[in-house]
Structure formats: structure tokens, C-alpha cells
Amino acid sequence: MNGLKVLVADDDPNVREIIRLYFEKQQIHMIEAQDGQDALEQVEREAPDIIILDVMMPKMDGLEACREIIKKHDIPIIMLTAKGEEFDRVLGLELGADDYVTKPFSPRELIARIKAIFRRMQPRKTVAGDEARNVLQFDGLSIHLDRREVIVAGEKVGFRPKEFDLLVHMAKSPGCVYTREQLLEHVWGYDFLGDIRTVDVHIKKIREKLSPFCSECIQTVWGVGYKFEVNS
């Protein structure tokens, strides 16, 4: 992950220092912000690859900062939340955050989340004649794997990184039923220790973005999980 730039916004300098020490071992360049407003300014100035936002910060909290960043940028966001703040976690995901880590957290866990996002940020190599295999094509729905673009009824629709990864994973196997735990394992890329309703929040956002053309592409299989199904 040499060269990766990660913005860490937390008003506790001790937390930032702990993260910095671990980042140095991983050759991650860390950009610091001490509150939400500072984070917004650093995003514009430094153009980070990934953003980590603490929920509770002065001047502007992490949720509001997340809301403002997503209006202008498609940068993966990880929220830091205090243990037990379920409302903040769910709200952060609904706003568009890609993941969250609960305090007190292990720096190794945070690195694992970043690595999972980093792997998915890497461009895929396309060789001559393989372009068609890098597009999942359905009736009125195209998913371009290389460009990470979703075209619905001829219109490009913006997807957050985890939303795109989740849609792709399910669309690659139409009709296959996945449990929430399976989706967490395959899409998030690590042993998830948080709330499995993370999947539900992302599925809701995907359905909204595919609506009205394909709002039923992702179907709920009651008592089991979800499946992707659309006429091809």
C-alpha cells in the first residue's frame, strides 16, 4: 500500500498518533484533521484515497462531514464510532459511508479494512478482445467492471465503492442466494465484527439507485438473505 494517502479526522491527538505509528509500518501516508471542518479542507487540499472520520468531533461532526464529502467526491469513507452507538453506525452507512470501526478498536482491524478497500481500488487489466468479459450485461442494465460504472436504462448512475462491489458480486451469479454473512465475507473481505445489518443498509441504497427500472433486481429471500435476478 506504498503511496496510499489516508485522511484521519479525529479530535483526539492520542488516537491519531496510534494510527500514525501503524500506518508508518504499512507505508501509508497519513493526513491529519482535528475536526469535521478541518477534514473538508484537507479533502480539497490533499485529495486522499481513503477517509476515516470519527463521528464525535467539534465544529462539524463526522456524520455531517461525511454528508458534505459525498456531495462532491467518490472517496471511500470509514466511520469511527463509540461502542454501542448503533444509530450513528446505521446513519453513517445510510449517508454513504462504506464501512465503520467501533471504538476502542485494534489498529490491525483498521488496517484490514483499509487493505480490503485498497484491493478493490486497483484497476483491472484489460487485454485485447476481453472487453466484453469486463461488462455484466442485462436487459437495460450494464455493469462495467473496469470503469466501475453502472448504466441503468442508458443513464450512468453513481455508486459508492461498497455498493458497487456488492452489486457486482451478486450480479456475477444471478439467482444465487447469499446470506448476509456470506456477503460480508466476500464483499467486505475480512471477518466482520460489526452489525450484519450493514448489508441491509447497502442493499437498500442499491435498490434506490436501480429504481424504478430495476428496483426488484435484488430480491429478499426471507429467512436466508438476498439474490440478484433480472431478465437478461
Side-chain angles (χ1 to χ4, degrees):
M1 294 192 294
N2 188 18
L4 185 69
K5 293 199 297 184
V6 180
L7 169 63
V8 177
D10 194 304
D11 61 321
D12 188 338
N14 294 323
V15 171
R16 298 200 305 269
E17 181 61 22
I18 291 172
I19 295 175
R20 174 180 290 282
L21 292 174
Y22 273 82
F23 277 11
E24 288 177 352
K25 295 178 181 178
Q26 299 291 327
Q27 296 183 308
I28 297 174
H29 175 59
M30 176 174 160
I31 306 161
E32 293 188 44
Q34 58 188 0
D35 55 58
Q37 186 59 50
D38 188 15
L40 296 185
E41 296 172 1
Q42 294 284 11
V43 168
E44 299 300 327
R45 185 182 304 118
E46 299 287 348
D49 299 304
I50 299 173
I51 301 170
I52 299 172
L53 296 174
D54 185 31
V55 170
M56 298 300 295
M57 292 188 292
K59 295 186 179 179
M60 178 185 291
D61 64 31
L63 296 174
E64 182 61 27
C66 177
R67 183 184 290 110
E68 292 301 316
I69 291 169
I70 286 172
K71 288 179 181 178
K72 299 174 60 179
H73 303 279
D74 187 21
I75 304 173
I77 297 175
I78 300 174
M79 305 297 298
L80 296 180
T81 70
K83 185 176 182 180
E85 291 179 343
E86 177 182 336
F87 175 77
D88 286 340
R89 294 198 300 270
V90 175
L91 180 55
L93 294 170
E94 289 179 342
L95 289 175
D98 300 279
D99 207 346
Y100 71 85
V101 175
T102 303
K103 290 182 174 181
F105 62 89
S106 162
R108 290 183 180 180
E109 179 187 1
L110 184 59
I111 292 292
R113 310 288 178 102
I114 292 171
K115 285 183 175 179
I117 291 175
F118 178 71
R119 284 194 297 268
R120 287 166 173 79
M121 289 167 56
Q122 301 309 296
R124 298 170 182 264
K125 293 183 179 179
T126 306
V127 298
D130 281 355
E131 184 175 353
R133 284 185 285 180
N134 285 281
V135 179
L136 301 178
Q137 186 72 54
F138 305 92
D139 184 18
L141 173 65
S142 300
I143 306 172
H144 296 261
L145 305 183
D146 288 345
R147 305 200 304 262
R148 294 182 67 86
E149 292 180 355
V150 179
I151 310 297
V152 181
E155 298 291 331
K156 180 180 175 181
V157 180
F159 272 67
R160 298 289 300 164
K162 274 294 187 292
E163 295 167 359
F164 181 85
D165 294 337
L166 183 56
L167 175 62
V168 167
H169 183 73
M170 299 183 70
K172 282 184 175 179
S173 301
C176 181
V177 179
Y178 294 98
T179 65
R180 292 170 177 83
E181 290 82 2
Q182 287 173 326
L183 292 172
L184 285 169
E185 179 182 353
H186 288 288
V187 177
W188 272 254
Y190 50 81
D191 294 330
F192 192 75
L193 301 176
D195 196 330
I196 62 172
R197 283 175 293 178
T198 298
V199 172
D200 299 334
V201 174
H202 281 77
I203 291 292
K204 177 183 176 183
K205 299 293 287 188
I206 293 172
R207 284 172 169 166
E208 290 173 352
K209 292 182 177 183
L210 295 179
S211 179
F213 170 76
C214 192
S215 59
E216 298 302 319
C217 290
I218 297 184
Q219 302 175 11
T220 300
V221 180
W222 296 107
V224 183
Y226 298 100
K227 67 176 180 178
F228 177 91
E229 196 152 44
V230 64
N231 295 327
S232 56

